[in-house]
Amino acid sequence: MLASWLQISGIPLAVVGPVKNPVLVFLIILTIMLVAPLLFERLRLPGIIGLILSGLVVGPYGLGILQRDETIVLLGTVGLLFLMFMAGLETSLEDLKLNAGKASIFGAFTFLLPMLIGTVAMLAIGYDFLAAVLVASCFASHTLIGLPIVSKLGLMRLQTVTATLGATLISNVLALLVLAVVVRAYQGELSLRFWLTLIPSIALYTFATLWGVPKLGSWFFQRFGHDEGAEFTFVIATLFVVAYGAGLIGIEPVVGAFLAGTAITPIIPQLSPLMNRIQFIGNTLFVPFFLISVGMLINPGILLGEPRTLLVGGVMIAAEVVSKFLAAWIPAQLFGWRLASTMIMFGLSMAQAATTLAAITVAFQVELVDELTVNGTIAMILVTCIASPWIVARWGQQLQPREVASEASDLPRPAWGSRVLVPVVNPETESNLLRLALILAKKEGGTLLPLHVLSDRAGSRQQPWPGKSSCCPLPSP
Protein backbone atom coordinates (compact mmCIF):
# COMPACT_ATOMS: atom_id res chain seq x y z
CA MET A 1 0.00 0.00 0.00
CA LEU A 2 2.64 2.51 1.07
CA ALA A 3 4.86 1.44 -1.81
CA SER A 4 2.02 2.21 -4.24
CA TRP A 5 1.50 5.62 -2.64
CA LEU A 6 5.20 6.40 -3.01
CA GLN A 7 5.07 5.45 -6.66
CA ILE A 8 2.03 7.67 -7.24
CA SER A 9 3.80 10.52 -5.44
CA GLY A 10 6.71 10.35 -7.84
CA ILE A 11 9.17 8.51 -5.60
CA PRO A 12 10.92 5.71 -7.52
CA LEU A 13 9.59 2.34 -6.40
CA ALA A 14 13.05 0.79 -6.85
CA VAL A 15 14.24 2.82 -3.88
CA VAL A 16 11.90 1.00 -1.52
CA GLY A 17 12.21 -2.56 -2.82
CA PRO A 18 11.58 -5.35 -2.94
CA VAL A 19 15.14 -6.43 -2.13
CA LYS A 20 16.26 -9.67 -3.82
CA ASN A 21 19.89 -9.98 -2.71
CA PRO A 22 19.94 -12.67 0.04
CA VAL A 23 22.84 -11.02 1.88
CA LEU A 24 21.05 -7.66 1.96
CA VAL A 25 17.76 -9.32 2.99
CA PHE A 26 19.46 -11.00 5.93
CA LEU A 27 21.22 -7.76 6.85
CA ILE A 28 17.92 -5.86 6.90
CA ILE A 29 16.32 -8.49 9.13
CA LEU A 30 19.29 -8.52 11.51
CA THR A 31 19.16 -4.72 11.72
CA ILE A 32 15.48 -4.91 12.65
CA MET A 33 16.25 -7.53 15.31
CA LEU A 34 18.88 -5.24 16.81
CA VAL A 35 17.23 -1.82 16.61
CA ALA A 36 13.47 -2.42 17.03
CA PRO A 37 13.49 -4.06 20.50
CA LEU A 38 15.99 -1.55 21.88
CA LEU A 39 13.96 1.39 20.59
CA PHE A 40 10.61 0.15 21.91
CA GLU A 41 12.02 -0.86 25.29
CA ARG A 42 13.35 2.69 25.66
CA LEU A 43 9.75 3.80 25.10
CA ARG A 44 8.69 1.35 27.87
CA LEU A 45 6.95 -0.90 25.36
CA PRO A 46 7.57 -4.65 24.88
CA GLY A 47 10.21 -5.44 22.27
CA ILE A 48 7.81 -7.93 20.67
CA ILE A 49 5.66 -5.02 19.48
CA GLY A 50 8.66 -3.37 17.85
CA LEU A 51 9.47 -6.50 15.84
CA ILE A 52 5.87 -6.95 14.66
CA LEU A 53 5.50 -3.30 13.63
CA SER A 54 8.89 -3.39 11.90
CA GLY A 55 7.66 -6.35 9.86
CA LEU A 56 4.70 -4.20 8.84
CA VAL A 57 6.97 -1.31 7.80
CA VAL A 58 9.33 -3.36 5.61
CA GLY A 59 6.71 -5.85 4.41
CA PRO A 60 4.54 -5.93 1.30
CA TYR A 61 1.84 -3.73 2.90
CA GLY A 62 4.39 -1.16 4.10
CA LEU A 63 7.42 0.13 2.24
CA GLY A 64 7.63 -3.09 0.23
CA ILE A 65 11.34 -3.54 1.03
CA LEU A 66 10.94 -7.27 1.71
CA GLN A 67 8.60 -9.87 0.30
CA ARG A 68 7.02 -12.57 2.43
CA ASP A 69 8.54 -15.25 0.21
CA GLU A 70 9.25 -18.93 0.85
CA THR A 71 12.41 -18.16 2.83
CA ILE A 72 10.63 -15.81 5.20
CA VAL A 73 7.78 -18.31 5.60
CA LEU A 74 10.26 -21.14 6.32
CA LEU A 75 12.20 -19.18 8.93
CA GLY A 76 8.95 -17.85 10.38
CA THR A 77 7.64 -21.41 10.76
CA VAL A 78 10.83 -22.46 12.55
CA GLY A 79 10.47 -19.43 14.80
CA LEU A 80 6.83 -20.28 15.50
CA LEU A 81 7.74 -23.80 16.61
CA PHE A 82 10.64 -22.48 18.67
CA LEU A 83 8.34 -19.93 20.32
CA MET A 84 5.90 -22.64 21.40
CA PHE A 85 8.79 -24.87 22.50
CA MET A 86 10.11 -22.17 24.82
CA ALA A 87 6.58 -21.54 26.10
CA GLY A 88 6.52 -25.21 27.05
CA LEU A 89 9.87 -24.83 28.81
CA GLU A 90 8.35 -22.11 31.01
CA THR A 91 5.23 -24.12 31.96
CA SER A 92 6.65 -27.32 33.36
CA LEU A 93 4.42 -29.98 34.88
CA GLU A 94 6.14 -29.22 38.17
CA ASP A 95 4.19 -25.94 38.29
CA LEU A 96 1.01 -27.87 38.99
CA LYS A 97 2.48 -29.74 41.96
CA LEU A 98 2.87 -26.62 44.11
CA ASN A 99 -0.81 -25.63 44.10
CA ALA A 100 -2.60 -28.25 42.04
CA GLY A 101 -6.13 -27.60 43.32
CA LYS A 102 -6.13 -23.81 43.00
CA ALA A 103 -4.22 -23.97 39.70
CA SER A 104 -6.77 -26.40 38.25
CA ILE A 105 -9.73 -24.24 39.29
CA PHE A 106 -8.18 -21.05 37.93
CA GLY A 107 -7.07 -22.89 34.79
CA ALA A 108 -10.65 -24.05 34.17
CA PHE A 109 -12.06 -20.53 34.67
CA THR A 110 -9.40 -18.80 32.56
CA PHE A 111 -10.10 -21.21 29.71
CA LEU A 112 -13.88 -21.64 29.83
CA LEU A 113 -14.96 -18.03 30.45
CA PRO A 114 -12.93 -16.54 27.56
CA MET A 115 -14.14 -19.37 25.31
CA LEU A 116 -17.78 -18.65 26.19
CA ILE A 117 -17.64 -14.85 26.16
CA GLY A 118 -15.35 -14.74 23.13
CA THR A 119 -17.51 -17.07 21.05
CA VAL A 120 -20.69 -15.12 21.83
CA ALA A 121 -18.98 -11.78 21.10
CA MET A 122 -17.57 -12.90 17.73
CA LEU A 123 -20.88 -14.49 16.69
CA ALA A 124 -22.60 -11.20 17.55
CA ILE A 125 -20.52 -9.30 14.97
CA GLY A 126 -21.17 -11.80 12.19
CA TYR A 127 -18.42 -14.42 12.45
CA ASP A 128 -19.06 -18.04 11.49
CA PHE A 129 -19.21 -20.50 14.36
CA LEU A 130 -15.85 -22.16 13.70
CA ALA A 131 -14.07 -18.85 13.24
CA ALA A 132 -15.69 -17.50 16.42
CA VAL A 133 -14.59 -20.55 18.43
CA LEU A 134 -11.03 -20.30 17.12
CA VAL A 135 -10.75 -16.59 17.95
CA ALA A 136 -12.18 -17.31 21.40
CA SER A 137 -9.49 -19.96 21.93
CA CYS A 138 -6.95 -17.19 21.40
CA PHE A 139 -8.54 -15.31 24.31
CA ALA A 140 -8.32 -18.44 26.48
CA SER A 141 -4.56 -18.78 26.20
CA HIS A 142 -2.04 -16.33 27.64
CA THR A 143 1.69 -15.57 27.81
CA LEU A 144 3.45 -14.70 31.08
CA ILE A 145 5.27 -11.58 29.92
CA GLY A 146 4.77 -9.96 33.34
CA LEU A 147 6.55 -12.76 35.20
CA PRO A 148 9.98 -11.00 35.32
CA ILE A 149 8.29 -8.09 37.14
CA VAL A 150 6.83 -10.49 39.71
CA SER A 151 10.26 -12.00 40.26
CA LYS A 152 11.85 -8.57 40.63
CA LEU A 153 9.27 -7.55 43.25
CA GLY A 154 9.88 -10.74 45.23
CA LEU A 155 6.34 -12.08 44.75
CA MET A 156 7.11 -15.46 43.22
CA ARG A 157 5.91 -17.27 46.37
CA LEU A 158 2.41 -15.80 46.19
CA GLN A 159 -0.28 -18.46 45.86
CA THR A 160 -1.82 -16.37 43.09
CA VAL A 161 1.41 -16.50 41.11
CA THR A 162 1.81 -20.24 41.67
CA ALA A 163 -1.79 -20.82 40.61
CA THR A 164 -1.26 -18.73 37.49
CA LEU A 165 1.82 -20.75 36.53
CA GLY A 166 -0.15 -23.99 36.73
CA ALA A 167 -3.18 -22.49 34.98
CA THR A 168 -0.95 -21.41 32.10
CA LEU A 169 -0.20 -25.02 31.26
CA ILE A 170 -3.87 -26.02 31.44
CA SER A 171 -5.26 -23.12 29.38
CA ASN A 172 -2.55 -23.18 26.71
CA VAL A 173 -2.80 -26.92 26.10
CA LEU A 174 -6.61 -26.79 25.91
CA ALA A 175 -6.50 -23.77 23.59
CA LEU A 176 -4.10 -25.56 21.24
CA LEU A 177 -6.33 -28.64 21.22
CA VAL A 178 -9.30 -26.44 20.29
CA LEU A 179 -7.19 -25.05 17.45
CA ALA A 180 -6.45 -28.58 16.18
CA VAL A 181 -10.11 -29.65 16.29
CA VAL A 182 -11.42 -26.45 14.67
CA VAL A 183 -8.93 -26.65 11.80
CA ARG A 184 -9.89 -30.26 11.09
CA ALA A 185 -13.58 -29.36 11.25
CA TYR A 186 -13.07 -26.48 8.82
CA GLN A 187 -11.28 -28.83 6.41
CA GLY A 188 -14.24 -31.25 6.54
CA GLU A 189 -12.35 -34.02 8.31
CA LEU A 190 -14.23 -33.98 11.62
CA SER A 191 -16.13 -37.26 11.53
CA LEU A 192 -16.84 -40.08 14.00
CA ARG A 193 -13.84 -41.91 12.65
CA PHE A 194 -11.75 -38.82 13.30
CA TRP A 195 -12.79 -38.71 16.97
CA LEU A 196 -12.30 -42.45 17.43
CA THR A 197 -8.84 -42.13 15.94
CA LEU A 198 -7.87 -38.74 17.38
CA ILE A 199 -8.58 -39.36 21.07
CA PRO A 200 -6.52 -42.58 21.39
CA SER A 201 -3.82 -41.07 19.16
CA ILE A 202 -3.57 -37.92 21.29
CA ALA A 203 -3.50 -39.98 24.49
CA LEU A 204 -0.75 -42.27 23.17
CA TYR A 205 1.16 -39.38 21.62
CA THR A 206 1.00 -37.30 24.81
CA PHE A 207 2.12 -40.24 26.97
CA ALA A 208 4.96 -41.08 24.59
CA THR A 209 6.11 -37.46 24.60
CA LEU A 210 5.85 -36.72 28.31
CA TRP A 211 7.29 -40.11 29.33
CA GLY A 212 9.56 -41.03 26.44
CA VAL A 213 11.34 -37.71 25.84
CA PRO A 214 12.67 -37.41 29.43
CA LYS A 215 13.80 -41.06 29.39
CA LEU A 216 15.55 -40.74 26.05
CA GLY A 217 17.01 -37.37 26.99
CA SER A 218 18.43 -38.66 30.27
CA TRP A 219 20.07 -41.57 28.47
CA PHE A 220 21.51 -39.31 25.78
CA PHE A 221 22.88 -36.73 28.22
CA GLN A 222 24.50 -39.42 30.37
CA ARG A 223 26.18 -41.00 27.36
CA PHE A 224 27.05 -37.92 25.32
CA GLY A 225 26.87 -35.12 27.90
CA HIS A 226 30.51 -34.23 27.31
CA ASP A 227 29.64 -32.88 23.84
CA GLU A 228 27.82 -29.55 24.23
CA GLY A 229 27.07 -29.32 20.52
CA ALA A 230 25.49 -32.77 20.53
CA GLU A 231 23.29 -31.80 23.49
CA PHE A 232 21.94 -28.72 21.73
CA THR A 233 21.38 -30.61 18.46
CA PHE A 234 19.53 -33.36 20.33
CA VAL A 235 17.15 -30.83 21.90
CA ILE A 236 16.41 -29.16 18.56
CA ALA A 237 15.95 -32.52 16.85
CA THR A 238 13.55 -33.55 19.62
CA LEU A 239 11.52 -30.39 19.03
CA PHE A 240 11.04 -31.08 15.32
CA VAL A 241 10.47 -34.82 15.70
CA VAL A 242 7.70 -34.27 18.25
CA ALA A 243 6.21 -31.41 16.17
CA TYR A 244 6.24 -33.59 13.04
CA GLY A 245 4.64 -36.43 15.01
CA ALA A 246 1.79 -34.10 15.97
CA GLY A 247 1.09 -33.47 12.30
CA LEU A 248 1.03 -37.21 11.60
CA ILE A 249 -1.79 -37.82 14.10
CA GLY A 250 -3.84 -34.89 12.79
CA ILE A 251 -3.11 -32.02 15.19
CA GLU A 252 -1.12 -28.86 14.61
CA PRO A 253 2.70 -29.08 14.96
CA VAL A 254 2.61 -26.15 17.41
CA VAL A 255 0.89 -28.48 19.91
CA GLY A 256 3.79 -30.90 19.57
CA ALA A 257 6.33 -28.11 20.00
CA PHE A 258 4.63 -27.02 23.22
CA LEU A 259 4.52 -30.59 24.59
CA ALA A 260 8.17 -31.12 23.63
CA GLY A 261 9.18 -28.14 25.73
CA THR A 262 7.06 -29.34 28.65
CA ALA A 263 8.53 -32.85 28.45
CA ILE A 264 12.17 -31.88 28.23
CA THR A 265 12.13 -29.27 31.01
CA PRO A 266 12.75 -31.71 33.91
CA ILE A 267 16.08 -32.87 32.47
CA ILE A 268 17.45 -29.42 31.60
CA PRO A 269 18.19 -27.30 34.70
CA GLN A 270 17.01 -23.71 34.35
CA LEU A 271 20.47 -22.29 35.05
CA SER A 272 22.42 -24.77 32.92
CA PRO A 273 24.55 -23.74 29.93
CA LEU A 274 22.30 -25.80 27.64
CA MET A 275 19.18 -23.91 28.73
CA ASN A 276 21.02 -20.63 28.23
CA ARG A 277 21.92 -21.65 24.66
CA ILE A 278 18.34 -22.66 23.84
CA GLN A 279 16.91 -19.40 25.15
CA PHE A 280 19.65 -17.30 23.57
CA ILE A 281 19.31 -18.82 20.09
CA GLY A 282 15.52 -18.75 20.26
CA ASN A 283 15.12 -15.22 21.60
CA THR A 284 17.77 -13.62 19.41
CA LEU A 285 17.26 -15.41 16.08
CA PHE A 286 14.34 -17.79 15.49
CA VAL A 287 11.52 -16.07 17.41
CA PRO A 288 12.28 -12.59 15.98
CA PHE A 289 12.05 -14.09 12.48
CA PHE A 290 8.54 -15.29 13.31
CA LEU A 291 7.47 -11.95 14.80
CA ILE A 292 8.73 -10.05 11.76
CA SER A 293 6.91 -12.48 9.44
CA VAL A 294 3.69 -11.91 11.43
CA GLY A 295 4.10 -8.16 10.99
CA MET A 296 4.25 -8.71 7.23
CA LEU A 297 0.70 -10.08 7.38
CA ILE A 298 -0.73 -6.80 8.68
CA ASN A 299 -2.50 -4.76 6.02
CA PRO A 300 -3.05 -1.11 7.09
CA GLY A 301 -5.16 -0.62 3.98
CA ILE A 302 -7.93 -2.65 5.62
CA LEU A 303 -7.90 -0.28 8.59
CA LEU A 304 -8.26 2.74 6.31
CA GLY A 305 -10.62 1.23 3.78
CA GLU A 306 -12.65 -1.04 6.05
CA PRO A 307 -14.09 0.61 9.20
CA ARG A 308 -15.18 -2.85 10.37
CA THR A 309 -11.57 -3.43 11.48
CA LEU A 310 -12.08 -0.98 14.35
CA LEU A 311 -15.21 -2.85 15.40
CA VAL A 312 -13.51 -6.25 15.27
CA GLY A 313 -10.43 -5.03 17.14
CA GLY A 314 -12.54 -3.30 19.80
CA VAL A 315 -14.74 -6.34 20.36
CA MET A 316 -11.72 -8.67 20.60
CA ILE A 317 -9.97 -6.43 23.13
CA ALA A 318 -13.12 -5.93 25.23
CA ALA A 319 -14.04 -9.64 25.23
CA GLU A 320 -10.51 -10.70 26.15
CA VAL A 321 -10.05 -8.20 28.98
CA VAL A 322 -13.51 -8.73 30.51
CA SER A 323 -13.32 -12.52 30.35
CA LYS A 324 -9.79 -12.68 31.80
CA PHE A 325 -10.74 -10.33 34.63
CA LEU A 326 -13.80 -12.39 35.56
CA ALA A 327 -11.72 -15.58 35.31
CA ALA A 328 -9.31 -14.14 37.89
CA TRP A 329 -11.89 -12.44 40.13
CA ILE A 330 -14.22 -15.41 40.65
CA PRO A 331 -11.55 -17.86 41.92
CA ALA A 332 -10.05 -15.09 44.06
CA GLN A 333 -13.41 -14.66 45.78
CA LEU A 334 -13.63 -18.41 46.35
CA PHE A 335 -10.16 -18.55 47.90
CA GLY A 336 -10.43 -15.30 49.86
CA TRP A 337 -7.55 -13.51 48.13
CA ARG A 338 -7.32 -9.73 48.44
CA LEU A 339 -7.72 -7.33 45.51
CA ALA A 340 -3.99 -6.69 44.96
CA SER A 341 -3.28 -10.42 44.59
CA THR A 342 -6.28 -10.78 42.29
CA MET A 343 -5.05 -7.99 40.03
CA ILE A 344 -1.60 -9.59 39.84
CA MET A 345 -3.23 -12.83 38.71
CA PHE A 346 -5.32 -10.89 36.18
CA GLY A 347 -2.30 -8.95 34.92
CA LEU A 348 -0.25 -12.11 34.42
CA SER A 349 -3.03 -13.99 32.62
CA MET A 350 -4.27 -11.24 30.29
CA ALA A 351 -1.22 -10.85 28.05
CA GLN A 352 -1.54 -12.38 24.58
CA ALA A 353 1.54 -13.24 22.56
CA ALA A 354 3.00 -16.69 21.91
CA THR A 355 0.01 -19.05 21.70
CA THR A 356 -2.24 -16.35 20.21
CA LEU A 357 0.22 -15.61 17.41
CA ALA A 358 0.60 -19.34 16.76
CA ALA A 359 -3.14 -19.97 16.56
CA ILE A 360 -4.01 -16.97 14.40
CA THR A 361 -1.12 -17.68 12.02
CA VAL A 362 -2.25 -21.28 11.51
CA ALA A 363 -5.87 -20.14 11.06
CA PHE A 364 -4.83 -17.56 8.46
CA GLN A 365 -2.75 -20.11 6.56
CA VAL A 366 -5.76 -22.44 6.19
CA GLU A 367 -7.97 -19.41 5.30
CA LEU A 368 -10.22 -19.85 8.32
CA VAL A 369 -9.80 -16.16 9.23
CA ASP A 370 -9.02 -13.13 7.07
CA GLU A 371 -6.59 -10.22 7.28
CA LEU A 372 -9.15 -8.20 9.21
CA THR A 373 -9.01 -10.75 12.05
CA VAL A 374 -5.20 -10.80 11.94
CA ASN A 375 -5.16 -7.01 12.32
CA GLY A 376 -7.60 -7.21 15.23
CA THR A 377 -5.44 -9.85 16.88
CA ILE A 378 -2.33 -7.70 16.54
CA ALA A 379 -4.22 -4.80 18.13
CA MET A 380 -5.25 -7.06 21.01
CA ILE A 381 -1.65 -8.24 21.47
CA LEU A 382 -0.45 -4.63 21.47
CA VAL A 383 -2.96 -3.53 24.13
CA THR A 384 -2.55 -6.55 26.41
CA CYS A 385 1.26 -6.62 26.19
CA ILE A 386 1.35 -2.98 27.30
CA ALA A 387 -1.30 -3.33 29.99
CA SER A 388 -0.08 -6.58 31.53
CA PRO A 389 3.32 -5.40 32.87
CA TRP A 390 1.78 -2.13 34.06
CA ILE A 391 -0.97 -3.88 36.04
CA VAL A 392 1.47 -6.36 37.61
CA ALA A 393 3.87 -3.58 38.63
CA ARG A 394 1.09 -1.24 39.83
CA TRP A 395 -0.61 -3.75 42.14
CA GLY A 396 2.50 -5.71 43.04
CA GLN A 397 4.02 -2.66 44.69
CA GLN A 398 1.04 -2.46 47.07
CA LEU A 399 1.81 -5.80 48.70
CA GLN A 400 3.90 -5.58 51.87
CA PRO A 401 6.58 -8.22 52.60
CA ARG A 402 4.56 -9.43 55.63
CA GLU A 403 1.51 -10.06 53.44
CA VAL A 404 3.57 -11.95 50.87
CA ALA A 405 5.09 -14.15 53.58
CA SER A 406 1.65 -14.82 55.06
CA GLU A 407 0.13 -15.85 51.74
CA ALA A 408 3.10 -18.07 50.94
CA SER A 409 3.27 -19.67 54.38
CA ASP A 410 1.74 -22.97 53.27
CA LEU A 411 4.01 -23.42 50.25
CA PRO A 412 7.08 -25.69 50.47
CA ARG A 413 10.16 -23.69 51.40
CA PRO A 414 13.72 -24.23 50.22
CA ALA A 415 15.84 -26.59 52.29
CA TRP A 416 18.68 -24.17 52.94
CA GLY A 417 20.52 -26.91 54.82
CA SER A 418 20.93 -28.83 51.53
CA ARG A 419 24.05 -27.34 50.04
CA VAL A 420 25.92 -28.85 47.10
CA LEU A 421 29.63 -27.95 46.98
CA VAL A 422 31.21 -28.26 43.54
CA PRO A 423 34.95 -28.00 42.71
CA VAL A 424 35.40 -26.00 39.50
CA VAL A 425 39.18 -26.00 39.24
CA ASN A 426 39.36 -28.56 36.41
CA PRO A 427 37.91 -27.24 33.10
CA GLU A 428 37.52 -30.81 31.80
CA THR A 429 35.17 -31.89 34.59
CA GLU A 430 33.53 -28.68 35.82
CA SER A 431 30.77 -28.68 33.18
CA ASN A 432 29.50 -32.17 34.05
CA LEU A 433 29.89 -31.56 37.79
CA LEU A 434 27.96 -28.30 37.62
CA ARG A 435 25.20 -29.96 35.60
CA LEU A 436 24.89 -32.78 38.16
CA ALA A 437 24.99 -30.31 41.05
CA LEU A 438 22.26 -28.18 39.47
CA ILE A 439 20.00 -31.22 39.18
CA LEU A 440 20.60 -32.18 42.83
CA ALA A 441 20.14 -28.63 44.12
CA LYS A 442 16.95 -28.15 42.13
CA LYS A 443 15.49 -31.45 43.33
CA GLU A 444 16.21 -30.73 47.01
CA GLY A 445 15.42 -27.02 46.85
CA GLY A 446 18.94 -26.32 48.07
CA THR A 447 21.87 -24.08 47.19
CA LEU A 448 24.69 -24.58 44.71
CA LEU A 449 28.15 -23.51 45.94
CA PRO A 450 30.94 -23.53 43.32
CA LEU A 451 34.43 -23.64 44.91
CA HIS A 452 37.80 -22.88 43.40
CA VAL A 453 40.82 -23.08 45.73
CA LEU A 454 43.95 -21.27 44.58
CA SER A 455 47.08 -23.01 45.78
CA ASP A 456 50.19 -21.14 47.01
CA ARG A 457 52.77 -21.76 44.32
CA ALA A 458 55.58 -20.60 46.63
CA GLY A 459 55.15 -23.66 48.84
CA SER A 460 53.96 -26.91 47.30
CA ARG A 461 52.65 -28.50 50.52
CA GLN A 462 51.44 -25.44 52.37
CA GLN A 463 47.82 -24.70 53.12
CA PRO A 464 46.38 -21.81 51.12
CA TRP A 465 46.48 -18.42 52.82
CA PRO A 466 43.26 -16.82 53.96
CA GLY A 467 41.69 -15.06 51.04
CA LYS A 468 43.22 -17.48 48.55
CA SER A 469 40.00 -19.43 48.05
CA SER A 470 37.15 -18.40 45.80
CA CYS A 471 33.64 -19.42 46.73
CA CYS A 472 30.25 -17.83 46.65
CA PRO A 473 29.04 -16.78 50.18
CA LEU A 474 26.81 -19.12 52.12
CA PRO A 475 23.20 -17.95 52.36
CA SER A 476 21.66 -17.23 55.71
CA PRO A 477 19.46 -20.07 56.99
Side-chain angles (χ1 to χ4, degrees):
M1 174 189 173
L2 184 54
S4 302
W5 178 83
L6 290 172
Q7 188 178 31
I8 295 174
S9 302
I11 301 177
L13 188 59
V15 175
V16 293
V19 175
K20 299 292 187 180
N21 188 303
V23 177
L24 186 55
V25 169
F26 199 76
L27 175 61
I28 293 172
I29 293 177
L30 286 181
T31 303
I32 293 173
M33 293 179 183
L34 173 64
V35 175
L38 294 176
L39 177 61
F40 273 71
E41 287 171 2
R42 275 186 167 273
L43 299 174
R44 299 184 181 276
L45 296 174
I48 179 177
I49 302 300
L51 291 170
I52 293 175
L53 294 182
S54 297
L56 162 64
V57 172
V58 302
Y61 300 113
L63 295 174
I65 298 175
L66 298 180
Q67 291 182 335
R68 198 172 187 273
D69 55 16
E70 294 181 358
T71 302
I72 298 295
V73 172
L74 171 63
L75 294 174
T77 302
V78 173
L80 169 61
L81 295 177
F82 221 98
L83 181 65
M84 296 309 303
F85 178 68
M86 294 199 303
L89 290 176
E90 295 177 359
T91 53
S92 167
L93 290 173
E94 294 183 1
D95 296 335
L96 289 177
K97 298 178 182 179
L98 295 177
N99 242 324
K102 294 181 176 63
S104 299
I105 293 175
F106 177 45
F109 272 102
T110 200
F111 172 76
L112 294 175
L113 280 181
M115 283 294 301
L116 177 61
I117 295 175
T119 301
V120 172
M122 301 312 292
L123 288 174
I125 59 175
Y127 271 62
D128 295 335
F129 178 74
L130 290 179
V133 171
L134 186 137
V135 173
S137 72
C138 295
F139 304 160
S141 63
H142 57 259
T143 303
L144 299 172
I145 66 170
L147 199 61
I149 299 175
V150 172
S151 179
K152 184 178 180 180
L153 294 175
L155 305 178
M156 289 297 294
R157 300 195 61 79
L158 279 176
Q159 290 186 14
T160 49
V161 175
T162 306
T164 304
L165 292 174
T168 299
L169 177 62
I170 296 173
S171 61
N172 286 359
V173 168
L174 291 177
L176 290 173
L177 289 178
V178 170
L179 168 67
V181 172
V182 168
V183 169
R184 293 298 292 259
Y186 178 74
Q187 295 173 341
E189 302 175 1
L190 197 62
S191 60
L192 178 60
R193 181 180 178 182
F194 167 78
W195 286 111
L196 294 177
T197 304
L198 178 66
I199 295 177
S201 298
I202 290 180
L204 181 61
Y205 168 80
T206 303
F207 172 78
T209 301
L210 297 180
W211 179 84
V213 168
K215 295 291 184 183
L216 180 61
S218 298
W219 171 84
F220 185 89
F221 290 155
Q222 290 175 2
R223 188 173 181 86
F224 303 102
H226 61 279
D227 190 336
E228 297 178 350
E231 287 182 339
F232 181 80
T233 304
F234 171 81
V235 172
I236 302 304
T238 301
L239 160 61
F240 285 96
V241 168
V242 175
Y244 181 72
L248 292 179
I249 67 171
I251 60 178
E252 292 301 320
V254 291
V255 179
F258 185 83
L259 286 178
T262 303
I264 209 167
T265 298
I267 61 175
I268 305 180
Q270 289 295 323
L271 301 179
S272 65
L274 178 57
M275 182 65 78
N276 288 335
R277 292 190 195 96
I278 295 172
Q279 294 176 342
F280 177 79
I281 295 295
N283 290 327
T284 58
L285 185 60
F286 291 132
V287 174
F289 260 113
F290 168 65
L291 297 174
I292 293 172
S293 69
V294 169
M296 292 182 177
L297 295 174
I298 304 175
N299 185 358
I302 296 181
L303 180 61
L304 299 177
E306 178 59 67
R308 181 176 165 79
T309 302
L310 298 177
L311 173 64
V312 171
V315 169
M316 292 177 70
I317 294 171
E320 197 272 347
V321 172
V322 170
S323 62
K324 284 297 185 180
F325 176 78
L326 291 176
W329 183 79
I330 295 175
Q333 298 304 305
L334 295 176
F335 303 140
W337 290 335
R338 57 172 296 182
L339 180 60
S341 297
T342 305
M343 293 302 295
I344 290 175
M345 186 163 61
F346 164 60
L348 286 174
S349 62
M350 72 173 297
Q352 302 291 331
T355 311
T356 302
L357 285 173
I360 210 66
T361 301
V362 171
F364 182 78
Q365 290 172 350
V366 299
E367 300 181 354
L368 180 56
V369 297
D370 54 11
E371 292 178 340
L372 186 148
T373 307
V374 174
N375 284 8
T377 303
I378 298 299
M380 179 180 65
I381 291 173
L382 174 62
V383 172
T384 57
C385 284
I386 294 174
S388 173
W390 181 83
I391 292 174
V392 172
R394 166 74 173 77
W395 291 94
Q397 292 172 356
Q398 293 189 7
L399 291 177
Q400 300 298 323
R402 232 180 325 178
E403 295 170 326
V404 176
S406 174
E407 190 169 322
S409 60
D410 61 338
L411 295 179
R413 296 186 177 277
W416 293 109
S418 302
R419 299 186 176 98
V420 183
L421 188 65
V422 187
V424 293
V425 65
N426 188 349
E428 296 182 358
T429 61
E430 67 177 33
S431 178
N432 290 334
L433 289 175
L434 282 172
R435 187 177 294 108
L436 174 61
L438 282 167
I439 295 175
L440 295 174
K442 179 181 179 181
K443 182 177 181 181
E444 298 296 332
T447 308
L448 176 63
L449 303 175
L451 175 67
H452 183 190
V453 178
L454 303 178
S455 61
D456 184 5
R457 299 184 181 277
S460 59
R461 293 294 181 181
Q462 297 178 3
Q463 295 292 333
W465 293 94
K468 287 288 186 177
S469 64
S470 176
C471 177
C472 55
L474 295 177
S476 301

